[in-house]
Amino acid sequence: MLLEHVLDKPRAWLLAHDMDPIEPWQAQQFQVLVTRRLAGEPMAYLVGHREFMGRDFAVTPEVLIPRPDTELLVETALAWLARHPEAAVLDLGTGSGVIAVSIALAMPNATVTATDASATALQMAVRNASRLGARVDFAQGSWYGALPSLARYDLIVSNPPYIARDDEHLGQGDLRFEPRGALTDGADGLRDLSVVVAGAVDRLRPGGALWVEHGWDQAAAVRALFNDAGFNQVSSLRDLSGIERISGGSL
Ligand SMILES: C[S@@+](CC[C@H](N)C(=O)[O-])C[C@H]1O[C@@H](n2cnc3c(N)ncnc32)[C@H](O)[C@@H]1O
């Protein structure tokens, strides 16, 4: 992957030209990337992109690297939108824009808005929407505070930071290189989830739905947040590993 990136050639080309000499500057660039990788830097940041729902999204260390787990959230949103194709959709904490852009491209008659507290993350999302030809409105600010007070939606989706402040995983693997504000809410892992769930009640139209992604052990606590906020049909769905990874409900 690093050599594909440096030479800007696909894997098949590399295999077919495995005895070709490369330029000294290309060898040097490759060595720099290998050194960074050996220090643990995620591949997505080294090559500057990551695939999500079959599309290639640009990513930098300013945004979370999109995870395959999040495809379940998008697939669930698309199943809901198949019954409401002209819905107004809100993606809170859009990061690289993967959720909003995937929904906008799959449902061209939906109106999609995406927010983030981070200006640099939003720039990345704007860039991805424009590269992939998705029509998305963007707004910067903290959760619902980014939006006009009268704005209402039919479907809200969010993958907020849900790792607890003292979770040891924050010091391991790829997470060491990702923006801290995209990973942890700085509290117990449920603080941002509770803001998103409680605030949705005033932002959803009657019959509207909210779906959120959460940690592997948070499903029961998140369903309680939905029930406390007055949602109906509260449920959680399992990812391909059988773990309850998203929860949602309707008003
Ligand atoms: C787990 S990342 C999800 C990124 C992207 N939606 C995805 O699924 O790959 C959480 C995102 O929420 C954003 N965020 C953190 N605090 C926020 C806040 N108070 N208001 C809005 N967005 C926030 C972060 O900047 C980050 O982009």
Side-chain angles (χ1 to χ4, degrees), residues 18-228:
D18 62 343
M19 297 304 283
D20 283 16
I22 64 172
E23 300 293 335
W25 66 268
Q26 292 171 321
Q28 193 189 356
Q29 206 178 330
F30 175 68
Q31 278 309 332
V32 168
L33 289 172
V34 168
T35 305
R36 287 170 59 189
R37 180 66 194 129
L38 285 171
E41 232 176 294
M43 284 299 292
Y45 291 154
L46 296 177
V47 300
H49 56 96
R50 173 54 50 95
E51 187 252 319
F52 183 85
M53 304 270 318
R55 294 191 178 88
D56 200 45
F57 286 82
V59 292
T60 64
E62 270 82 44
V63 294
L64 186 96
I65 299 165
R67 308 288 203 270
D69 308 326
T70 306
E71 295 188 350
L72 177 63
L73 184 63
V74 175
E75 283 160 5
T76 304
L78 294 180
W80 193 92
L81 288 166
R83 288 174 272 122
H84 310 86
E86 299 188 353
V89 183
L90 173 63
D91 170 25
L92 290 168
T94 197
S96 60
V98 283
I99 298 173
V101 168
S102 300
I103 290 176
L105 290 173
M107 303 301 298
N109 293 327
T111 311
V112 182
T113 304
T115 74
D116 208 288
S118 155
T120 44
L122 268 187
Q123 280 169 12
M124 196 79 252
V126 169
R127 186 172 141 201
N128 277 319
S130 139
R131 273 181 62 237
L132 293 165
R135 207 166 38 85
V136 178
D137 295 323
F138 292 98
Q140 189 193 350
S142 186
W143 305 127
Y144 299 98
L147 305 160
S149 55
L150 294 178
R152 297 291 178 272
Y153 303 89
D154 302 297
L155 175 66
I156 301 177
V157 286
S158 183
N159 174 19
Y162 52 71
I163 301 178
R165 177 188 50 211
D166 52 5
D167 190 314
E168 62 189 23
H169 293 99
L170 289 170
Q172 298 170 6
D174 284 6
L175 272 57
R176 289 171 295 161
F177 295 87
E178 293 182 283
R180 186 119 312 207
L183 296 168
T184 175
D185 57 3
D188 62 353
L190 287 170
R191 191 184 65 180
D192 284 339
L193 280 161
S194 67
V195 171
V196 168
V197 174
V201 174
D202 294 330
R203 294 298 188 153
L204 282 171
R205 297 193 178 118
L210 167 69
W211 282 95
V212 296
E213 181 174 321
H214 49 69
W216 63 275
D217 57 351
Q218 292 173 323
V222 174
R223 283 195 301 272
L225 293 175
F226 274 84
N227 286 319
D228 290 349

